Amino acid sequence: MDTEALVTVAIGDVAVIVIVSRLLGALARRCGQPVVIGQIVAGIALGPTLLGRLPGDPTSRLFPPEVLPFLTVLSQIAIVIFMFVVGYEMDGRQLRQGGRAAATVALCAFLVPAGLGVGAVGVFHGAFDAVQPGHADGRTFWLFMAVAVSVTALPVLAAIVRERGLAGSPEGTVATTAAGLMDVVAWLVLAAALAGTGHATGRSWQLTLLLISLFVAAMFLVVRPVLGRWLRRSRAVPANQLTIALGLALGSAWVTAELGLHPVFGGLLAGLTMPRRDGVPDADVLRPMEQTSDLLLPLFFVTTGLSFNIGSLDGDGGLLLLLILAIAILGKLGPAYAASRISGMDTHRSATVAVLVNTRGLTELIVLNVALDAGIIGPALFTVLVLMALVTTFMTGPLLSLTARRHKRETPRRQEKKVVPALTDGRT
């Protein structure tokens, strides 16, 4: 296939991806799910799981191997921009807003599932080895499993909080803040795992870690103050700020990739480095970067869907999926609920916090793709973990509705219990 034909097919693929993702995203919203859920389903539907099973294998015809590198590059750019937005929106003051309750929830809801994930690899090593022969060993894989079952999708959680009217509420604030804290820890642990692999660098992990530390220090101690002074100048118009933001995100992603980490770390670091206006993200930078990310993210979901094939899941994979689901769900819900209750929240708010922090969604998919690209996991375990991410995200909406209905039923009963003794005392 010549260059002109490749460009033609790639343009057609992008058109199909954008339209299908938009339609299924709208359908997901009508079903009470976040738009990103519909986009994830669109990516899977266009892959071998659904479209590829039709006569003639339409997936292979629609996405020939020669075109996949082009789509992969665009999807990686989308993720870099998305991670920039995540980092740029992270506010230290907001992370402190949840106070002790958020810190307690984050600590329990991260350490418990992480510990269970590592313990499961040791205790049920045979189950992991059956799905991923020869790769379920070593510090890197153990650290990855700790992150895979304990991460929380802050962007999806924040969208759910807004759509459910929980923004500004105690439970919404605690859940969002705890998710931000857990995401920071998760990315640090995953970076440590990848730094030890030496992928694509040929350097020792000690030297890699030193170079990464120097780069991070340079970004915060040199790049950030220089950009801050330049952007405060009167000639720094919005168009220049957007250009700087995009260049910073892609440049930082390139450096982290050269250092042996995935480009997503560079995007996140760039977002954290980008100066804010009066302590808050500049709308002239944030809005267009969000819009660009939203437009291109469906490409990431499709490249993920092309690596995901539920038909390849055998009996061993099914059993491992049940084990990982139990660890991921119970390891999140129980500790998060207990931590919220210990922090003084009532049963309804504690249950809401627990359900919210169990959301994985897009962040989990990014983690899994990073691990797949680095060779930490293979396609079979990738499929199992993607299913875990989908189940834990799908269940968030129904569980929130269930806790809300239960709270409405129990509220009149509590009021009756308070009123009846008062009436009795008055009569006596």
Side-chain angles (χ1 to χ4, degrees):
M1 190 180 296
D2 58 26
T3 303
E4 185 176 351
L6 283 174
V7 171
T8 302
V9 174
I11 292 175
D13 286 346
V14 172
V16 170
I17 292 168
V18 170
I19 293 172
V20 174
S21 298
R22 180 66 63 180
L23 292 175
L24 291 186
L27 179 61
R29 184 181 291 276
R30 291 181 65 88
C31 295
Q33 295 282 358
V35 172
V36 69
I37 294 297
Q39 294 176 338
I40 294 173
V41 172
I44 294 174
L46 290 173
T49 296
L50 182 59
L51 188 63
R53 291 181 172 275
L54 298 179
D57 190 8
T59 295
S60 297
R61 293 177 178 272
L62 187 62
F63 305 105
E66 299 90 342
V67 177
L68 293 183
F70 294 89
L71 299 179
T72 301
V73 170
L74 289 174
S75 70
Q76 291 303 308
I77 292 174
I79 291 301
V80 168
I81 296 174
F82 171 79
M83 293 304 296
F84 173 90
V85 172
V86 171
Y88 193 46
E89 286 186 315
M90 282 188 180
D91 187 352
R93 292 175 300 182
Q94 183 179 5
L95 293 179
R96 292 189 295 268
Q97 189 176 7
R100 183 175 62 88
T104 305
V105 170
L107 184 67
C108 296
F110 185 88
L111 290 181
V112 172
L116 291 175
V118 172
V121 175
V123 176
F124 302 99
H125 183 270
F128 284 90
D129 194 59
V131 175
Q132 182 162 297
H135 294 282
D137 291 301
R139 179 184 61 87
T140 298
F141 181 75
W142 288 43
L143 288 176
F144 161 73
M145 283 304 303
V147 173
V149 296
S150 58
V151 73
T152 295
L154 175 59
V156 178
L157 184 152
I160 293 174
V161 166
R162 289 193 298 267
E163 292 172 3
R164 295 273 174 165
L166 297 173
S169 66
E171 58 269 40
T173 300
V174 169
T176 304
T177 307
L181 293 171
M182 286 187 285
D183 272 7
V184 171
V185 175
W187 288 117
L188 290 175
V189 174
L190 186 60
L194 288 175
T197 63
H199 282 285
T201 64
R203 309 183 190 94
S204 66
W205 71 267
Q206 294 93 338
L207 178 58
T208 299
L209 187 60
L210 174 62
L211 292 175
I212 292 170
S213 301
L214 291 175
F215 177 62
V216 172
M219 289 287 282
F220 282 108
L221 300 179
V222 178
V223 175
R224 180 165 184 158
V226 170
L227 283 180
R229 285 194 296 269
W230 193 89
L231 291 174
R232 283 192 295 269
R233 294 167 55 185
S234 59
R235 289 180 294 175
V237 296
N240 291 338
Q241 297 181 40
L242 180 60
T243 301
I244 289 173
L246 183 59
L248 181 65
L250 297 179
S252 178
W254 172 74
V255 173
T256 54
E258 285 291 318
L259 292 177
L261 290 180
H262 198 278
V264 299
F265 295 100
L268 179 65
L269 179 60
L272 294 170
T273 303
M274 186 70 184
R276 293 160 176 79
R277 178 175 294 179
D278 298 325
V280 298
D282 191 336
D284 292 329
V285 174
L286 183 61
R287 189 180 302 111
M289 293 292 277
E290 281 184 325
Q291 292 171 344
T292 304
S293 173
D294 292 342
L295 185 64
L296 295 177
L297 269 180
L299 297 172
F300 168 74
F301 297 130
V302 168
T303 56
T304 299
L306 293 175
S307 302
F308 173 85
N309 187 2
I310 196 172
S312 64
L313 197 66
D314 56 13
D316 291 329
L319 291 176
L320 184 60
L321 174 61
L322 293 177
L323 172 64
I324 293 177
L325 278 174
I327 292 172
I329 296 173
L330 298 179
K332 278 282 191 184
L333 294 179
Y337 179 83
S340 300
R341 292 290 289 150
I342 292 173
S343 300
M345 303 183 76
D346 60 30
T347 56
H348 170 64
R349 287 176 173 167
S350 298
T352 302
V353 169
V355 172
L356 286 172
V357 299
N358 189 49
T359 305
R360 286 174 175 84
L362 178 55
T363 304
E364 179 76 34
L365 294 182
I366 296 174
V367 169
L368 299 182
N369 275 274
V370 170
L372 184 64
D373 292 342
I376 300 175
I377 60 175
L381 185 56
F382 177 80
T383 298
V384 169
L385 292 172
V386 168
L387 283 173
M388 180 270 291
L390 293 177
V391 171
T392 53
T393 305
F394 279 139
M395 64 190 294
T396 301
L399 284 180
L400 285 176
S401 299
L402 180 63
T403 56
R405 288 196 298 268
R406 182 176 178 181
H407 179 64
K408 289 181 180 179
R409 288 197 304 266
E410 292 181 351
T411 299
R413 297 176 185 174
R414 293 194 187 99
Q415 292 175 347
E416 290 177 2
K417 290 180 180 179
K418 293 179 180 179
V419 171
V420 170
L423 292 175
T424 304
D425 292 342
R427 290 168 184 166
T428 56

